[in-house]
């Protein structure tokens, strides 16, 4: 009877109770070879030159005291080829560079349920590279490289052909693109800070039904680019200080059935640049002190821009066509000069956010030297009285008189 009870208790004990714990003495690679799936490998503080570390079993690899894995500027530092791996607490630096091979500080290859957390990556070509991987978590990592030109730099967190990924609370700077998604579905990008990258803070292509929220993308060379995707929910993000001749807070190109909500656009050359977008809801956002708050190209249709605040932008809206197939309703515009006789909080006179000067300046940037001149003011006043060039149908018919509480 006692023997039977002992056997039953043995099966009921969690599997972790039988897992081994190994502490590295000199070589991380040698210790990994000795460990079995389910074991924990502890790496004490120190600098380790492993010439490429491969994890091909379900191991919890934990650094204590921020041990350094150094790729000597020659090797891929860590390659993960097994499901259910956790990598935590390391400084990973000096990966190799290649013109034809995407070497990384940490690479995930065709794996599931891998967790990369609380690591620091320094001077890597690609930072964390995920290919054909599912349901992985990348959280609390800091990635800083030394990229100074696009062709000789890789991306910070790079995901290709992945599903169910979670990128949460990471800091990425000085890479080509801070975060890169291509053919990535059903994934979450939340609470990350991507700044001072040499191209995009976020580059997002052919990736559907994804969410990104509560992120900050600031002072990147070109801003953020979201292209050729549908079902993208974008909420509570901040786009700031993305300035330059081809810069914007965010580019939405060939996007359908998506949402941009509760976000903040400040000090960008262009807040939102929309091209070929359809059925995108832009609502409850703040556009403040941008060059152009929005550029909405004539290729856009059935988009709804509603309940947003526009403060202190040089130009509110620009477009390159006279046919308007989008809806601007119930926004607050600080340039609105109408009145509210019935006191319902909305203007009785429609507001046309596209000025004649904005259209001229968009095509001929040199005329910006005349900004604030008497002639420019006269030109816009004349266009308002006798509209002939600006698109008549691009109009907010019931603008709010006071800023919305957002």
């Amino acid at each position: 009877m006692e023997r039977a009870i002992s056997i039953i208790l043995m099966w009921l004990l969690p599997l972790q109770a039988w897992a081994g714990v190994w502490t590295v003495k000199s070589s991380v690679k040698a210790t990994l070879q000795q460990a079995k799936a389910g074991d924990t490998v502890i790496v004490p503080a120190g600098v380790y030159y492993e010439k490429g570390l491969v994890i091909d079993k379900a191991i919890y690899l934990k650094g204590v005291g921020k041990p350094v894995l150094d790729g000597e500027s020659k090797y891929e530092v860590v390659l993960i080829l097994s499901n259910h791996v956790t990598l935590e607490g390391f400084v990973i630096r000096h990966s190799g560079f290649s013109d034809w091979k995407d070497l990384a500080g940490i690479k995930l290859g065709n794996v599931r349920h891998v967790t990369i957390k609380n690591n620091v990556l320094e001077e890597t070509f690609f930072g964390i590279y995920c290919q054909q991987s599912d349901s992985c978590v990348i959280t609390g990592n800091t990635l800083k490289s030394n990229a100074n030109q696009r062709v000789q730099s890789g991306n910070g967190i790079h995901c290709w052909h992945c599903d169910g990924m979670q990128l949460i609370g990471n800091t990425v700077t000085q890479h080509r693109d801070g975060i890169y998604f291509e053919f990535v579905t059903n994934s979450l990008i939340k609470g990350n800070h991507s700044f001072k990258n040499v191209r995009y803070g976020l580059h997002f292509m052919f990736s559907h039904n994804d969410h990104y929220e509560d992120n900050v993308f600031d002072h990147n060379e070109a801003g953020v680019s979201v292209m050729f995707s549908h079902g993208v929910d974008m909420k509570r993000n901040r786009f700031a200080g993305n300035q330059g001749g081809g810069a914007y807070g965010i580019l939405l190109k060939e996007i359908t059935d998506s949402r941009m909500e509760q976000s903040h656009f400040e000090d960008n050359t262009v807040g939102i640049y929309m091209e070929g977008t359809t059925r995108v809801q832009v609502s409850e956002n703040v556009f403040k002190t941008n060059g152009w708050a929005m550029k909405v190209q004539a290729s856009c249709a059935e988009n709804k821009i509603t309940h947003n605040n526009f403060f202190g932008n040089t130009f509110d809206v620009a477009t390159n066509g006279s046919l308007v197939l989008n809806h601007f309703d119930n926004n607050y515009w600080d340039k609105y000069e109408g009145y509210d006789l019935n006191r319902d909080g909305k203007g009785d006179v429609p507001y046309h956010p596209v000025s004649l000067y904005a259209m001229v300046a968009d095509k001929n940037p040199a005329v910006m030297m005349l900004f604030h001149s008497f002639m420019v003011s006269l030109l816009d006043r004349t266009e308002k009285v006798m509209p002939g060039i600006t698109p008549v149908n691009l109009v907010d018919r019931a603008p709010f008189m006071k800023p919305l509480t957002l």
Side-chain angles (χ1 to χ4, degrees):
M1 185 66 174
E2 291 180 358
R3 179 177 174 80
I5 293 174
S6 298
I7 293 174
I8 292 171
L9 288 175
M10 182 181 69
W11 282 106
L12 291 176
L13 285 172
L15 291 176
Q16 289 84 343
W18 305 102
V21 178
W22 303 77
T23 300
V24 173
K25 301 300 181 183
S26 59
S27 169
V28 180
K29 186 177 293 186
T31 307
L32 284 174
Q33 289 173 349
Q34 293 176 331
K36 296 182 174 64
D39 287 354
T40 296
V41 175
I42 304 295
V43 183
V47 181
Y48 299 85
Y49 300 94
E50 300 291 336
K51 293 181 171 56
L53 200 62
V54 178
I55 304 176
D56 56 4
K57 61 190 79 171
I59 293 291
Y60 179 14
L61 187 62
K62 180 174 176 59
V64 176
K66 280 291 189 284
V68 177
L69 300 177
D70 195 308
E72 304 177 63
S73 300
K74 299 178 182 178
Y75 311 104
E76 194 151 64
V77 186
V78 180
L79 174 60
I80 298 175
L81 299 176
S82 173
N83 302 332
H84 301 287
V85 169
T86 297
L87 179 68
E88 177 183 10
F90 289 88
V91 174
I92 294 171
R93 70 187 187 192
H94 301 156
S95 74
F97 166 83
S98 173
D99 288 325
W100 59 275
K101 188 176 181 181
D102 296 334
L103 298 175
I106 304 170
K107 181 175 284 184
L108 282 58
N110 195 22
V111 295
R112 297 174 58 86
H113 303 294
V114 168
T115 299
I116 309 296
K117 64 179 180 180
N118 302 332
N119 300 286
V120 176
L121 289 91
E122 300 174 343
E123 297 184 26
T124 57
F125 180 40
F126 282 80
I128 302 172
Y129 191 110
C130 309
Q131 60 184 26
Q132 295 178 309
S133 297
D134 298 341
S135 307
C136 297
V137 177
I138 300 170
T139 180
N141 302 285
T142 299
L143 300 91
K144 182 179 180 180
S145 192
N146 54 3
N148 52 28
Q149 53 184 321
R150 299 179 185 181
V151 295
Q152 293 183 347
S153 57
N155 303 321
I157 302 176
H158 181 108
C159 297
W160 179 77
H161 273 282
C162 297
D163 182 73
M165 305 293 285
Q166 295 187 51
L167 280 59
I168 302 173
N170 302 285
T171 299
V172 190
T173 187
Q174 291 183 264
H175 283 270
R176 180 174 59 199
D177 296 336
I179 300 171
Y180 181 91
F181 267 26
E182 186 173 8
F183 303 109
V184 179
T185 53
N186 306 306
S187 295
L188 173 67
I189 302 172
K190 182 174 182 177
N192 302 281
H193 185 195
S194 182
F195 65 102
K196 293 184 179 179
N197 295 289
V198 300
R199 189 169 62 177
Y200 299 118
L202 169 69
H203 193 180
F204 194 98
M205 299 177 62
F206 307 106
S207 297
H208 312 304
N209 304 317
D210 295 307
H211 301 260
Y212 71 93
E213 56 193 49
D214 302 310
N215 303 286
V216 177
F217 305 103
D218 66 288
H219 298 93
N220 298 290
E221 182 177 300
V224 167
S225 179
V226 178
M227 302 188 289
F228 309 108
S229 304
H230 62 255
V232 183
D233 279 346
M234 302 162 275
K235 295 182 180 179
R236 299 183 303 277
N237 298 287
R238 179 178 175 83
F239 307 83
N242 302 292
Q243 298 181 351
Y248 25 71
I250 186 168
L251 163 67
L252 301 177
K253 180 178 176 62
E254 305 298 334
I255 303 297
T256 61
D257 300 302
S258 298
R259 306 176 74 87
M260 170 63 75
E261 300 176 325
Q262 302 170 27
S263 294
H264 199 104
F265 298 84
E266 184 172 354
D267 294 333
N268 303 287
T269 300
V270 181
I272 299 180
Y273 189 105
M274 302 174 69
E275 181 178 335
T277 63
T278 305
R279 297 185 299 277
V280 173
Q281 176 82 26
V282 180
S283 62
E284 300 181 34
N285 303 288
V286 175
F287 297 87
K288 183 179 179 181
T289 60
N290 301 282
W292 283 266
M294 298 185 69
K295 285 189 176 182
V296 183
Q297 302 299 83
S299 56
C300 301
E302 300 181 57
N303 300 294
K304 294 183 178 180
I305 297 89
T306 180
H307 290 84
N308 302 284
N309 284 332
F310 292 82
F311 300 104
N313 301 291
T314 304
F315 304 113
D316 289 328
V317 180
T319 187
N320 63 345
S322 58
L323 180 63
V324 178
L325 303 174
N326 306 288
H327 306 282
F328 290 77
D329 298 306
N330 303 137
N331 300 284
Y332 169 76
W333 313 86
D334 65 345
K335 296 182 179 64
Y336 180 61
E337 298 176 343
Y339 47 82
D340 179 20
L341 297 179
N342 62 3
R343 298 185 179 181
D344 64 352
K346 298 178 181 178
D348 298 334
V349 179
Y351 176 64
H352 295 265
V354 179
S355 69
L356 178 57
Y357 184 56
M359 296 185 68
V360 173
D362 188 34
K363 296 180 180 179
N364 302 280
V367 305
M368 283 300 298
M369 68 178 64
L370 301 175
F371 189 53
H372 290 314
S373 70
F374 171 74
M375 289 302 297
V376 169
S377 178
L378 181 62
L379 191 68
D380 280 338
R381 293 285 178 179
T382 303
E383 178 67 16
K384 286 181 180 180
V385 175
M386 297 180 293
I389 298 177
T390 57
V392 176
N393 293 330
L394 204 163
V395 59
D396 190 332
R397 301 192 181 280
F400 279 97
M401 299 296 295
K402 296 181 179 180
L404 298 160
T405 303
L406 301 176

